[in-house]
Amino acid sequence: YTCVILAGNLYSVFFCSHRFGIAAYRKYSSGSGYPNISLSSPLPGIPKPVFASVDGQEKYETKITTLDNGLRVASQNKFGQFCTVGILVNSGSRHEAKYPSGIAHFLEKLAFSSTAQYGSKDEILLTLEKHGGICDCQTSRDTTMYAVSAEVKGLDTVVSLLSDVVLQPRLLDEEIEMTRMAVRFELEDLNMRPDPEPLLTEMIHAAAYRGNTVGLPRVCPVDNVDKIDKKVLHRYLSNYYCPERMVLAGVGIEHEHLVKCARKYLQDVKPVWGMNTAANVDLSVAQYTGGIIKMEKDMSDVSLGPTPIPELTHIMIGLESCSFLEDDFIPFAVLNMMMGGGGSFSAGGPGKGMFTRLYLNVLNRHHWMYNATSYHHSYEDSGLLCIHASADPRQVREMVEIITREFIQMAASMELERAKTQLKSMLMMNLESRPVIFEDVGRQVLSTGKRKLPHELCDLISNVTASDIKRVTTKMLRSKPAVAALGDLKELPSYEHIQAALSSKDGRLPRIYRLFR
């Protein structure tokens, strides 16, 4: 919009000055002096330019409307020809306690297949193509997200399509069989890929929340692939895919237009599984247990080729943090940014995290460590802050001790201001992207019913002090550790020794005296 206004004025300036120039050329072509006109003063006969301005700090705040059936509609306006619209459902692998694990994984693969209105996935893609659109579905432990990015002019079609995809899927036998094949391939790929981070994330959650909520497997276990059919899926959908557990979120569209489309396509629609009341919704609160999960695996041939990755053992150690609804969530986010880390090779440069603690204290000092990275997973009722490290199998014990010492030393507020600035810049840069804004709007409204704007989050980050970091670290160190280990584990310390190290003052493992080596 700003560009259009400015471009329009530049055009008018050019056009008028062009005419003025011709007249001046004719007038002064005899060789007499040109008029002395300053470039800072307006040219004669040119209309006064109109400049774009923003009135107020946030002219385009997130608007939220709740329909009669309980569905929430949230939107954020953003200039541009394209919009991102989608439906987020409070449904994920954490809700599968009463069902075979893997339903959310199946639903992710079955998304945007044939529906009551569209005969096949190809028909859906062709419909979106007319509006320059793309579609995607992602499931996490607590949320399922169906999203479409398309031209603003196609909003009516997009909302109609989303309604059909979410509430009227056919779930044909051949589609379910194709999904089984896709899931089996993904499970094979998960165990074969050189990057073990997705597998370790699964393992650390299973160790931290043993057998409950976010500890349930996010990917479908091999044994359950043949157990999930249309009947099981309908039973699950009837409980979790109800309007009060959904948010229709949009970015780049007018709120009133989105609400109108929601009333038209989502208010009085009867789902294909019937209008059952959600009687068996799992409202369990995450129970942090701590513990260890080990997977002995030959990692020597994971990545062959001209530059093979050496055989490594991977360890992930985590402690309980907090939910994203708590005030301590922001200090934990800053702490995670302070720890940072990454691989032993990095392109470096400003803003790449080369001054984070895991780089300065671990990777820069111990050349034999291939990776040391901090992660923070947060949910509506709990959270997990963990460090992933990898090294040669012969140096596993030393690597574990280095990581336990880093946990103990977390309370020191080294590089706090840098971490806060880096977190704010990362937040603002990510929110330049329309799909990221869409996900932020949808997830916040789904979990809290409102949205904190970026400037509010930046203020909260700025207010984090060294005492906040010390307080949340002390609280975190009181919890039992969760440990995931993958690879050659002959040198792995016992769980009791890791727990003792995290309870000590210096983070050192208890000494082991061997008579024979």
Side-chain angles (χ1 to χ4, degrees):
Y1 179 70
T2 309
C3 295
V4 171
I5 290 173
L6 292 176
N9 283 313
L10 286 171
Y11 175 77
S12 62
V13 168
F14 173 77
F15 183 70
C16 294
S17 58
H18 179 66
R19 284 193 303 170
F20 176 79
I22 291 170
Y25 175 75
R26 285 175 182 159
K27 186 174 178 181
Y28 298 103
S29 59
S30 58
S32 56
Y34 283 89
N36 185 18
I37 299 174
S38 169
L39 289 175
S40 58
S41 58
L43 293 168
I46 291 176
K48 190 178 177 183
V50 180
F51 297 101
S53 62
V54 178
D55 34 333
Q57 190 169 13
E58 288 288 337
K59 188 176 180 182
Y60 297 97
E61 293 185 1
T62 305
K63 294 180 180 176
I64 303 166
T65 301
T66 305
L67 303 188
D68 296 340
N69 62 353
L71 180 110
R72 285 161 288 180
V73 182
S75 75
Q76 175 93 23
N77 210 342
K78 183 178 169 69
F79 294 122
Q81 286 177 253
F82 282 78
C83 63
T84 299
V85 182
I87 294 174
L88 290 93
V89 190
N90 185 5
S91 155
S93 59
R94 70 170 294 161
H95 301 109
E96 294 172 357
K98 299 174 184 175
Y99 303 88
S101 286
I103 290 176
H105 193 186
F106 261 69
L107 290 173
E108 180 184 79
K109 300 293 166 212
L110 284 162
F112 295 98
S113 296
S114 65
T115 67
Q117 193 179 333
Y118 300 93
S120 67
K121 191 165 197 163
D122 289 342
E123 273 189 47
I124 289 174
L125 296 176
L126 284 169
T127 303
L128 288 174
E129 206 173 277
K130 291 172 188 172
H131 300 286
I134 54 170
C135 60
D136 187 28
C137 176
Q138 292 179 9
T139 59
S140 62
R141 294 179 191 281
D142 53 4
T143 311
T144 301
M145 183 171 65
Y146 300 81
V148 172
S149 286
E151 273 189 311
V152 176
K153 290 183 285 186
L155 181 64
D156 201 87
T157 306
V158 166
V159 177
S160 168
L161 187 147
L162 282 166
S163 170
D164 225 41
V165 164
V166 176
L167 301 175
Q168 305 283 330
R170 285 186 184 172
L171 304 178
L172 301 174
D173 290 341
E174 54 265 34
E175 289 172 346
I176 291 173
E177 195 51 50
M178 286 291 287
T179 300
R180 287 190 180 121
M181 289 171 64
V183 168
R184 283 194 186 99
F185 173 78
E186 241 178 61
L187 292 172
E188 283 179 30
D189 179 61
L190 189 67
N191 288 309
M192 289 169 63
R193 62 169 63 183
D195 175 25
E197 198 264 322
L199 185 57
L200 280 166
T201 302
E202 280 289 291
M203 291 166 67
I204 197 80
H205 278 82
Y209 303 92
R210 197 173 289 272
N212 75 90
T213 58
V214 292
L216 298 174
R218 197 182 76 79
V219 293
C220 182
V222 181
D223 299 341
N224 289 356
V225 173
D226 292 318
K227 292 178 185 175
I228 297 171
D229 55 19
K230 186 174 180 177
K231 189 178 176 182
V232 172
L233 292 170
H234 273 191
R235 196 154 49 88
Y236 178 86
L237 291 165
S238 66
N239 278 308
Y240 290 98
Y241 277 46
C242 44
E244 58 271 20
R245 296 179 66 85
M246 293 182 186
V247 168
L248 174 68
V251 175
I253 31 82
E254 294 291 337
H255 186 70
E256 291 72 25
H257 192 184
L258 187 63
V259 172
K260 184 182 174 185
C261 291
R263 288 200 172 106
K264 185 176 176 182
Y265 297 112
L266 288 160
Q267 184 151 290
D268 299 313
V269 180
K270 185 181 178 184
V272 72
W273 48 83
M275 297 288 281
N276 295 354
T277 54
N280 291 314
V281 173
D282 184 7
L283 300 173
S284 304
V285 176
Q287 302 295 316
Y288 182 86
T289 59
I292 186 167
I293 288 186
K294 297 188 279 189
M295 187 186 287
E296 288 270 1
K297 189 179 176 187
D298 180 12
M299 305 285 281
S300 57
D301 60 349
V302 165
S303 178
L304 301 173
T307 53
I309 296 173
E311 183 183 357
L312 300 173
T313 295
H314 301 271
I315 306 293
M316 198 178 266
I317 299 175
L319 294 167
E320 188 180 19
S321 59
C322 72
S323 97
F324 57 66
L325 300 175
E326 294 178 47
D327 293 338
D328 283 343
F329 173 66
I330 299 293
F332 269 115
V334 174
L335 177 62
N336 181 54
M337 192 60 68
M338 282 170 70
M339 299 310 295
S344 58
F345 172 80
S346 171
K352 295 291 195 302
M354 300 301 283
F355 287 90
T356 58
R357 285 197 208 164
L358 292 179
Y359 262 111
L360 293 174
N361 299 349
V362 178
L363 294 168
N364 290 357
R365 294 184 185 181
H366 307 284
H367 64 91
W368 46 268
M369 282 191 69
Y370 278 78
N371 185 32
T373 313
S374 175
Y375 296 95
H376 187 217
H377 306 279
S378 197
Y379 305 97
E380 63 183 5
D381 44 15
S382 186
L384 186 66
L385 191 141
C386 41
I387 295 175
H388 167 211
S390 52
D392 186 279
R394 291 165 295 183
Q395 292 172 300
V396 169
R397 184 177 177 83
E398 195 177 344
M399 173 175 70
V400 169
E401 185 170 272
I402 287 165
I403 298 307
T404 55
R405 272 166 36 202
E406 282 306 307
F407 268 112
I408 296 296
Q409 292 164 14
M410 271 187 189
S413 56
M414 183 181 76
E415 298 289 348
L416 175 61
E417 289 306 315
R418 184 191 292 272
K420 284 158 64 173
T421 305
Q422 195 175 346
L423 182 58
K424 284 187 280 187
S425 68
M426 190 178 286
L427 172 73
M428 300 309 288
M429 283 190 287
N430 284 336
L431 289 173
E432 291 285 319
S433 165
R434 192 181 62 247
V436 174
I437 300 172
F438 156 77
E439 190 173 343
D440 182 49
V441 169
R443 284 182 180 275
Q444 285 203 50
V445 173
L446 188 66
S447 56
T448 65
K450 58 184 180 181
R451 182 186 180 224
K452 279 182 182 169
L453 295 168
H455 70 87
E456 295 177 74
L457 292 170
C458 285
D459 289 343
L460 290 170
I461 293 167
S462 299
N463 293 336
V464 173
T465 62
S467 62
D468 290 327
I469 299 296
K470 189 173 183 178
R471 176 174 50 78
V472 297
T473 303
T474 306
K475 174 185 166 187
M476 182 177 66
L477 286 166
R478 292 194 198 113
S479 62
K480 284 177 67 178
V483 182
L486 176 69
D488 181 347
L489 307 177
K490 294 186 189 76
E491 295 294 318
L492 180 71
S494 68
Y495 179 76
E496 290 72 26
H497 280 190
I498 295 171
Q499 195 171 1
L502 288 167
S503 304
S504 67
K505 288 183 178 179
D506 57 4
R508 291 185 181 276
L509 290 164
R511 299 298 97 188
I512 294 178
Y513 300 99
R514 295 177 183 173
L515 192 58
F516 301 105
R517 282 195 173 273

